[in-house]
Amino acid sequence: MTESALKAESRKISDEGLDKGVEKLTPAKIEQVINSVLANETGARLKVYADTCVHCGLCSEACHFFLSNDRDPSFSPAGKVKQTLWEILKNKGSVSPAFIRRAAEVASTECNLCRRCAMYCPFGIDIAYLMLVIRRICHKLGVMPQYIQTTAHSHSATLNQMWVKEDEWIDSLMWQEDEAREEIPTLRIPLEKEGADIFYSVIGPEPKFRAQLIYQAAVIMNAAGLNWTMPATPGWDNSDMCMYTGDNEMMGRLKKAHFETAMRLKVKRIVMGECGHAFRSIYDMGNRWLSWKMPPIPVTHAIEFYHELLREGKIKIAKKYDKAVTLHDPCNIVRGKGLHEMSRYVVNQTCENLIEMHPNREHNFCCSAGGGVINCGPPFRNKRVEGNKVKAEQLFVAKTKGAKVVIAPCHNCHGGLEDIIHHYGLNMELKFLGDIIYECMEKK
Amino acid sequence: MNDSDIKDWDIAKKEIADIGNWKGMFEWVEEPHVSPDGEKIAAVVKTGDMEFGVCENGTPWESVFDKVWYLRFSPDGRLTALVSDAGEWTVAVDGQTWESRFEFVWNTKFSRDGSGIAVAAQNGRQYFAAVNDSPWEQTFSDMSNLTLSPDGKSSAASVQTVAFGESDIFKFQEGCYSAALDGKAWDMNFVNVWEMSFSPDHQHLAAEVRLNLYDYTVAVDGIPWEQKFSSVWKPEFSPQDGSVTAPARIGGGWTLVRNGTPLWNSRFVQLWHHRYSPDGKKIAAVVSPHFGRWTVAIDGTAWTHNFGDLVTDLVFSPDGNRIACVGKDDGKWTVSVDGQPWTGGFDMIWRPVFSPDGRRVAAKAEKNGRYTVVIDGQPLKEEFRAVWDPVFSPDGEKILICGIEGSGEKYFRQVMRLADI
Ligand code: SF4
Ligand code: SF4
Ligand code: SF4
């Protein structure tokens, strides 16, 4: 065993989904599943990537896991491929259950699919795509970390991420409407308003843990005088952990429900809350799996939406936020859609002082929560947080320059950064853009 | 509403209500709804502090409630709403509440003729359906996909039948869900049960099911097909012979299968929302013939013309000879009839409506914030602040247009002769 393989073995974390999952595997089953995925579900792209990589290691410098783990090659992007896909290809799918367990752990808990490394590779090799292929294989083999698999089950049973029952969803909207009416007596969260311009869509955790975000969104919609609605049926959740467990069929089912809800409501667009991965799912992966090249109903991310409202003067800032802030760029919306200048516009319009972290914009370091890694739950928490010392260092530098608040316009980033801030004792506050806008806007 | 139920085909134009006046009567007036015959217009209104009611043609319901939502007219013209009174929820029909009380109600469904009204309901964290004020006897720890038979005589839903801890992934994968018909769950459990359909006689129920994380099929009356697929969509019963068809994914492509075996030879990148013609002889579906393109296929053969963004709202003419759908290309919405799209795009267009003889097609449409009705591709000269789905007269010579006109808020019901348009 090489030194790094030994290290990898020593960091084995027990997880019921992985441990029990591999117990059922046989070499024949593994070989059959792998070869069927490779033959039927991957194409030229995988082959080109596998054949083109010259093992130069340039991508290593891109990866926060590598940089944060004393440059341990097993955490480098190419190292992750080496421990997974290359072995699989070399052995034509004939690998052991123990190998699959390790491959599942690498692909699901040691890579955020953040795509930073693809920018550093001279050939643009997309390691995230390769890790998704591994996850797909692991899904088909039934070897998936327990927590994220639970989430995938919730998606399948309820069409949302958090086991929110149909009535609980409606009840939380009515409750937020009641709360908001204490502040703005005429405010409505219009349910099932057919023909509205906007369907406001959120992710599963919002009604469950962050209901104030729905309240704030309602205040913003109200102040901007928009014709909007929220559905009272499943299909309201834009999030998608099935995309990250490799359950593509469920990913498609979720996006179908989401877009068909928009079609049923006859809205002109979906405005979605501050979330990175959901954007990837509805703007790229989920829609395309269903054969919608672009979202069939246009999707506006919260950053674009706030940008539009501020630029067009639809909402006005009464007083700018006066604590110095820094801004985290969520991978899925900067590398996925280049929204980094818009988010800066929003911050500059609403905050007195933005202190940048470096590198930033499309070169940002991921929060290490993304790609479903945080959803793999407590067993992998330390690895995730320790695997992102570089983010902690970035935040620390911003803090020494005066930043008190970190703005992260993505739910997962919030979770990830919260853990980092706590673990490294950074003592910074975390906010969504919506929190800042709500706090600083003129309310009608 | 059946167009033959509309009695008043002779009145040219009639003002029904002036919503502007309502605004003086109430703190606020929510978005209005119109009865299928156009004779009634109603809205949820705020009547006082934490107090809501319903105003219909200018007359408020006698009762007021803590909350009123999901105001909808049934196909037979009764006005329904979900209401809460002192923290208890129920259904109000034309101002009269059901006797049953619930901790919550939602998801109102109507039978085709409106005689059946179903809701999903919850009491003490137990879930069930209630039809015409009769709750199911059995309750479940979760329920979704409430479905009412077209005749309103039966209701069904996906239900949770086995308790499991959310983090117990292996228990979940053993199958903890089933379908319940009139409250009685099928014997067999599944990993998931999704959308379902009734046979025309409401005796049989077919549902999309997942047998494990990978194998999907259709279960009819609780018995899954032998054949398994990598995915399926909602099944339908043939009105002709009671067979069940569903879109199924085979080897990366989609086709239509009947009782488990492929019915269509063609494969599509996507295929869903299949519909039978009224006589059951033809089947049409929304399909994607190649990646990123959308159209309609009839008995497996796709129209030549296709759309880039989406196709939805597929409808057969009453005689089954024609098909219309809504399509969108480059952000512009239109209607396509028998594969021929109307020219001129709209910002939004609603489900097309056929005349009884199938010769004419009309749809509500929106452009630049104004609404109109488009008939055979030609928008009416009149524009509206709001308009509702048009209805053709039984002889196909007239069309009923209901809308709020011009700059005011007067709601009119208007019968136009198609020959005069
Ligand atoms: S975490 Fe990001 S940078 Fe590291 S390997 Fe994965 S995609 Fe590449
Ligand atoms: S930079 Fe590209 S070619 Fe070099 S090791 Fe990384 S993936 Fe391979
Ligand atoms: S969670 Fe946020 S930063 Fe982290 S991968 Fe998603 S978008 Fe990236």
Side-chain angles (χ1 to χ4, degrees):
Chain A
M1 244 192 223
T2 63
E3 194 192 337
S4 111
L6 272 171
K7 269 198 210 160
E9 186 54 31
S10 72
R11 63 178 189 251
K12 183 171 165 184
I13 292 167
S14 65
D15 176 283
E16 202 171 299
L18 299 178
D19 298 333
K20 283 206 183 159
V22 285
E23 279 173 17
K24 294 182 224 150
L25 295 182
T26 61
K29 165 92 178 163
I30 295 174
E31 200 172 331
Q32 177 259 318
V33 164
I34 289 179
N35 289 323
S36 136
V37 170
L38 294 181
N40 303 323
E41 301 186 27
T42 64
R45 191 170 167 204
L46 182 100
K47 198 168 160 12
V48 168
Y49 286 166
D51 293 348
T52 316
C53 177
V54 293
H55 307 209
C56 67
L58 283 174
C59 51
S60 302
E61 298 301 321
C63 183
H64 49 285
F65 273 110
F66 173 78
L67 297 173
S68 305
N69 281 295
D70 302 326
R71 311 176 71 80
D72 176 347
S74 72
F75 278 112
S76 71
K80 295 171 203 180
V81 184
K82 191 170 159 213
Q83 293 169 78
T84 57
L85 190 67
W86 285 338
E87 282 298 305
I88 284 176
L89 292 175
K90 201 169 81 193
N91 295 300
K92 300 197 168 55
S94 155
V95 291
S96 67
F99 176 91
I100 290 296
R101 193 201 179 285
R102 175 71 195 133
E105 193 170 342
V106 170
S108 292
T109 74
E110 296 176 11
C111 174
N112 296 104
L113 314 178
C114 76
R115 291 185 177 145
R116 189 166 195 267
C117 50
M119 295 193 305
Y120 286 72
C121 169
F123 308 105
I125 292 175
D126 186 357
I127 305 286
Y129 166 72
L130 301 179
M131 291 300 113
L132 275 170
V133 172
I134 300 299
R135 291 188 189 186
R136 174 72 172 163
I137 290 170
C138 293
H139 159 70
K140 292 230 150 182
L141 288 170
V143 182
M144 203 41 68
Q146 180 191 12
Y147 278 78
I148 194 167
Q149 187 59 43
T150 305
T151 310
H153 290 167
S154 169
H155 275 303
S156 75
T158 64
L159 302 184
N160 70 70
Q161 200 191 124
M162 289 276 149
W163 302 100
V164 178
K165 292 177 176 168
E166 291 187 0
D167 58 323
E168 293 171 342
W169 161 247
I170 304 165
D171 187 56
S172 17
L173 297 182
M174 290 185 170
W175 164 50
Q176 288 310 306
E177 184 184 67
D178 283 346
E179 298 266 305
R181 277 184 190 165
E182 304 268 313
E183 187 182 0
I184 299 163
T186 56
L187 182 136
R188 278 183 70 200
I189 296 184
L191 298 182
E192 290 289 318
K193 186 176 176 191
E194 194 204 85
D197 293 328
I198 292 169
F199 157 16
Y200 184 62
S201 92
V202 300
I203 74 170
E206 288 200 33
K208 201 114 178 172
F209 304 119
R210 289 179 178 149
Q212 88 281 0
L213 292 175
I214 297 174
Y215 174 125
Q216 290 171 187
V219 171
I220 292 170
M221 294 283 181
N222 185 65
L226 297 168
N227 182 7
W228 68 295
T229 189
M230 292 182 90
T233 59
W236 54 266
D237 182 4
N238 52 35
S239 74
D240 186 356
M241 279 304 132
C242 296
M243 166 175 74
Y244 286 151
T245 60
D247 189 349
N248 299 343
E249 291 77 9
M250 270 310 305
M251 167 179 77
R253 185 168 292 268
L254 298 175
K255 294 310 106 167
K256 176 175 184 278
H258 192 58
F259 284 118
E260 288 187 343
T261 300
M263 291 182 205
R264 177 176 61 75
L265 289 168
K266 292 286 175 192
V267 295
K268 298 194 190 64
R269 60 171 165 162
I270 297 169
V271 170
M272 58 176 293
E274 296 175 51
C275 183
H277 91 270
F279 190 67
R280 186 180 196 154
S281 172
I282 62 180
Y283 197 80
D284 175 12
M285 290 183 55
N287 54 314
R288 293 194 171 129
W289 193 83
L290 292 167
S291 191
W292 282 315
K293 197 164 169 188
M294 293 305 288
I297 304 294
V299 172
T300 308
H301 188 271
I303 290 179
E304 299 170 278
F305 184 58
Y306 301 148
H307 175 263
E308 169 190 323
L309 296 182
L310 288 163
R311 198 194 55 217
E312 292 174 5
K314 291 213 172 108
I315 49 174
K316 302 219 162 44
I317 297 303
K319 184 179 176 304
K320 279 192 176 182
Y321 191 70
D322 55 8
K323 285 187 208 167
V325 301
T326 189
L327 174 66
H328 170 72
D329 289 293
C331 318
N332 281 318
I333 48 186
V334 295
R335 281 190 281 281
K337 210 200 174 189
L339 299 185
H340 38 274
E341 295 309 335
M342 283 193 189
S343 61
R344 279 164 180 77
Y345 176 89
V346 174
V347 172
N348 286 319
Q349 290 292 309
T350 52
C351 299
E352 299 276 7
N353 186 5
L354 167 62
I355 295 167
E356 289 281 7
M357 283 186 273
H358 296 281
N360 56 39
R361 297 175 164 84
E362 70 273 31
H363 293 281
N364 83 314
F365 278 117
C366 170
C367 63
S368 204
V373 173
I374 196 170
N375 306 76
C376 294
F380 303 96
R381 187 176 166 276
N382 285 346
K383 175 159 70 174
R384 163 169 61 81
V385 177
E386 282 158 15
N388 210 351
K389 214 160 59 195
V390 288
K391 191 89 228 174
E393 283 158 8
Q394 276 192 308
L395 289 167
F396 182 73
V397 174
K399 185 181 161 149
T400 54
K401 290 183 186 161
K404 301 252 180 306
V405 172
V406 188
I407 300 178
C410 163
H411 278 270
N412 279 352
C413 302
H414 256 247
L417 295 174
E418 205 170 295
D419 288 340
I420 288 172
I421 289 169
H422 182 75
H423 181 86
Y424 295 95
L426 291 169
N427 193 21
M428 296 169 90
E429 244 182 287
L430 254 179
K431 289 204 180 286
F432 287 97
L433 282 171
D435 293 325
I436 303 270
I437 295 174
Y438 170 75
E439 197 171 323
C440 301
M441 70 191 279
E442 285 178 10
K443 299 178 188 114
K444 284 176 232 166
Chain B
M1 156 96 14
N2 203 322
D3 39 24
S4 57
D5 295 347
I6 300 177
K7 300 287 175 282
D8 216 349
W9 282 107
D10 293 324
I11 289 180
K13 185 169 179 180
K14 176 159 95 175
E15 182 187 321
I16 307 274
D18 185 347
I19 311 245
N21 293 340
W22 303 9
K23 297 203 168 150
M25 295 159 65
F26 307 104
E27 269 180 58
W28 77 59
V29 178
E30 300 186 356
E31 55 281 0
H33 295 264
V34 161
S35 63
D37 63 2
E39 295 281 3
K40 291 182 274 186
I41 184 166
V44 172
V45 291
K46 184 153 192 277
T47 47
D49 193 28
M50 312 274 278
E51 197 187 87
F52 293 85
V54 170
C55 182
E56 188 176 356
N57 285 3
T59 311
W61 279 359
E62 276 175 23
S63 334
V64 290
F65 306 95
D66 314 337
K67 276 187 167 49
V68 181
W69 75 290
Y70 208 72
L71 186 71
R72 294 293 185 275
F73 278 98
S74 65
D76 58 1
R78 290 182 293 160
L79 181 56
T80 70
L82 303 175
V83 299
S84 138
D85 199 5
E88 285 186 318
W89 285 91
T90 190
V91 180
V93 181
D94 287 336
Q96 299 300 311
T97 56
W98 282 2
E99 274 177 23
S100 317
R101 292 288 183 275
F102 312 96
E103 280 175 42
F104 201 65
V105 269
W106 69 102
N107 207 358
T108 313
K109 304 263 181 205
F110 300 108
S111 65
R112 200 171 277 153
D113 66 1
S115 60
I117 300 173
V119 287
Q122 181 262 111
N123 267 342
R125 313 311 304 152
Q126 287 291 303
Y127 293 80
F128 51 96
V131 186
N132 293 344
D133 207 358
S134 297
W136 283 357
E137 279 169 24
Q138 292 89 341
T139 63
F140 300 91
S141 51
D142 197 10
M143 183 181 92
S144 52
N145 294 298
L146 172 65
T147 307
L148 184 61
S149 65
D151 60 10
K153 296 206 166 83
S154 277
S155 55
S158 322
V159 293
Q160 188 184 332
T161 43
V162 177
F164 61 90
E166 285 170 6
S167 60
D168 191 347
I169 54 179
F170 300 104
K171 179 96 187 167
F172 177 91
Q173 289 171 22
E174 285 169 13
C176 301
Y177 292 84
S178 193
L181 173 62
D182 294 328
K184 193 179 173 324
W186 286 344
D187 291 336
M188 190 166 165
N189 290 318
F190 302 91
V191 170
N192 296 106
V193 177
W194 294 292
E195 289 185 78
M196 54 191 73
S197 297
F198 276 97
S199 60
D201 64 2
H202 78 261
Q203 299 294 323
H204 304 281
L205 183 68
E208 304 170 84
V209 298
R210 189 161 71 150
L211 303 168
N212 48 50
L213 294 186
Y214 320 105
D215 294 320
Y216 294 67
T217 192
V218 167
V220 183
D221 298 331
I223 314 290
W225 286 346
E226 271 169 35
Q227 297 83 351
K228 297 168 191 138
F229 308 94
S230 63
S231 195
V232 294
W233 303 127
K234 188 183 177 191
E236 298 287 348
F237 282 87
S238 159
Q240 267 199 319
D241 59 12
S243 62
V244 175
T245 43
R249 192 162 187 259
I250 302 173
W254 287 86
T255 194
L256 198 70
V257 298
R258 181 167 62 197
N259 297 342
T261 45
L263 175 64
W264 288 1
N265 292 323
S266 28
R267 293 283 183 279
F268 298 95
V269 183
Q270 189 54 269
L271 187 169
W272 51 36
H273 298 290
H274 72 299
R275 300 243 183 294
Y276 282 87
S277 57
D279 61 7
K281 289 194 180 129
K282 288 184 202 157
I283 303 176
V286 174
V287 298
S288 169
H290 38 265
F291 179 72
R293 303 303 303 181
W294 294 87
T295 190
V296 169
I298 300 131
D299 296 333
T301 307
W303 287 344
T304 323
H305 177 268
N306 54 47
F307 293 90
D309 296 356
L310 64 84
V311 164
T312 185
D313 288 328
L314 172 66
V315 277
F316 268 101
S317 61
D319 63 6
N321 288 328
R322 303 188 76 195
I323 290 171
C325 70
V326 164
K328 179 158 81 87
D329 228 351
D330 288 331
K332 287 292 167 199
W333 297 79
T334 193
V335 160
S336 182
V337 185
D338 296 333
Q340 301 292 320
W342 290 349
T343 51
F346 299 89
D347 298 339
M348 184 55 69
I349 203 149
W350 272 252
R351 181 187 294 268
V353 177
F354 275 99
S355 62
D357 62 6
R359 289 196 0 253
R360 318 290 303 253
V361 183
K364 164 184 172 179
E366 180 187 356
K367 201 167 192 170
N368 303 323
R370 309 288 293 174
Y371 296 85
T372 191
V373 169
V374 187
I375 305 168
D376 296 331
Q378 285 302 314
L380 289 178
K381 287 188 296 295
E382 291 86 348
E383 286 189 335
F384 302 85
R385 285 170 58 110
V387 84
W388 281 266
D389 286 342
V391 184
F392 286 96
S393 63
D395 60 10
E397 290 187 359
K398 295 174 188 164
I399 191 165
L400 172 68
I401 308 286
C402 300
I404 296 175
E405 277 193 341
S407 54
E409 297 199 55
K410 289 196 167 91
Y411 167 70
F412 290 93
R413 175 193 191 277
Q414 185 173 0
V415 174
M416 293 181 175
R417 292 187 63 81
L418 290 164
D420 302 341
I421 296 173

